[in-house]
Amino acid sequence: MLKLLLSNDAYVCAWVQARLDNINFRDCKAIGVMRDSRLVAGIVYHNLRDGQIEASIAVEDKRWANKSVLYAIFAYPFKQCSCHRVLVTVKDNNKKSIRLAKKMGFKVEGKLRQMFPPHDAVLLGMLKDECQYIKEK
């Protein structure tokens, strides 16, 4: 059974940061996903500005999400923070993460050359009205 870990930003941020290269989170919020009392995924929200927030995610279990988890991770930026877009930045050779972001509904918006030398970064974004997980039925 999956459970959300809320209000433990420092722990989840450190867990995600340990799994991602070249990132230091400051002034961030985070949601963890627990399975059998073990953290299996973490989403960190950072760089909130002008109705946009960035998200970074680390996953260690393919069974990390269900409808309730997906609702929570998108309700935070779109409903609680009133953002109109979420942005993720992925190293261009991380095909698994790019595929996951696209499957979740993010769209490729561009590239940052040598953001992770020698690799480029792929920018993927999702607008609030594109998010299938928070739509009212």
Side-chain angles (χ1 to χ4, degrees):
M1 182 159 150
L2 297 175
K3 292 183 180 177
L4 295 176
L5 178 60
L6 306 171
S7 302
N8 203 336
D9 298 330
Y11 176 69
V12 176
C13 286
W15 187 90
V16 171
Q17 189 169 298
R19 285 153 181 80
L20 301 179
D21 294 331
N22 303 318
I23 194 157
N24 284 318
F25 298 117
R26 280 176 289 214
D27 192 28
C28 58
K29 296 292 181 191
I31 296 174
V33 181
M34 307 285 290
R35 175 184 285 287
D36 301 324
S37 302
R38 189 173 73 85
L39 194 57
V40 296
I43 301 88
V44 178
Y45 304 94
H46 49 100
N47 297 336
L48 173 62
R49 66 188 176 284
D50 300 324
Q52 172 182 284
I53 197 165
E54 292 182 47
S56 297
I57 184 169
V59 175
E60 286 196 344
D61 185 327
K62 289 182 180 181
R63 301 171 303 150
W64 70 275
N66 59 24
K67 287 182 181 182
S68 296
V69 168
L70 291 167
Y71 176 85
I73 66 174
F74 287 104
Y76 176 75
F78 290 130
K79 292 188 173 208
Q80 190 169 338
C81 296
S82 299
C83 290
H84 66 273
R85 66 188 324 271
V86 175
L87 177 71
V88 295
T89 305
V90 182
K91 195 182 291 187
D92 68 349
N93 68 340
N94 190 341
K95 304 301 182 199
K96 258 175 127 172
S97 291
I98 293 169
R99 193 169 41 253
L100 172 63
K102 287 179 174 180
K103 186 176 180 180
M104 293 172 76
F106 286 88
K107 295 180 177 18
V108 174
E109 296 187 340
K111 185 189 322 191
L112 295 173
R113 297 179 304 141
Q114 292 193 17
M115 174 83 174
F116 307 105
H119 297 284
D120 295 339
V122 177
L123 298 175
L124 298 109
M126 180 188 293
L127 301 177
K128 182 178 181 178
D129 64 358
E130 297 170 338
C131 183
Q132 62 184 338
Y133 306 106
I134 61 165
K135 290 194 187 239
E136 305 293 324
K137 300 232 178 200

